[in-house]
Amino acid sequence: MTSSKESQSKTERSAERVGNAVEHVGQVVEQAGLVVGQAVDDIGSYIRSQREGAQVSLRQLARTAGVSNPYLSQIERGLRKPSAEILQQIARGLRISAEALYVKAGILEERPEGAVTDAVLSDVTLTERQKQVLLDVYQSFRRENDQQVVPGASTHVPEEEE
């Protein structure tokens, strides 16, 4: 059997560990809050800069995006975090890729840039879903080919003769 002194000592150590864990969790939550707050500020300032670059007034963008003036203003000032659907409407109103807004908002991870990716993202005739599927297929082919590359082998593919 353990003495009451040993039992009390174990209880104190356990309480100390719990206290440390609670403090650590609090710090992590605080940091996450700062990151989310920064993302909201970033997306708002990004939307504002895109709107100003396109020489579109707040009122015009609100109307074309189907959101209220005050709500759009709050987004731009970092007071509101827009949903993915609202971001898509804003992207449509600005005539930019919704994916760019999703990346800025932290909804999607940034994709590597390249000529194919840029071409797909800039094609206004494709829906956002179609763009996503095309890029996913393209990336899967790239990963597959990267695994099959033989050191020293040429990656040049000759064009078909007509």
Side-chain angles (χ1 to χ4, degrees), residues 101-122:
L101 291 183
Y102 294 160
V103 168
K104 286 289 183 185
I107 295 171
L108 283 180
E109 290 182 25
E110 191 165 6
R111 292 189 172 277
E113 295 192 21
V116 173
T117 302
D118 291 346
V120 170
L121 293 177
S122 65

Side-chain angles (χ1 to χ4, degrees), residues 59-77:
R59 215 168 267 205
Q60 289 171 320
L61 179 56
R63 186 175 45 251
T64 58
V67 298
S68 72
N69 273 356
Y71 182 62
L72 182 56
S73 175
Q74 290 172 349
I75 290 170
E76 284 190 356
R77 291 181 288 142

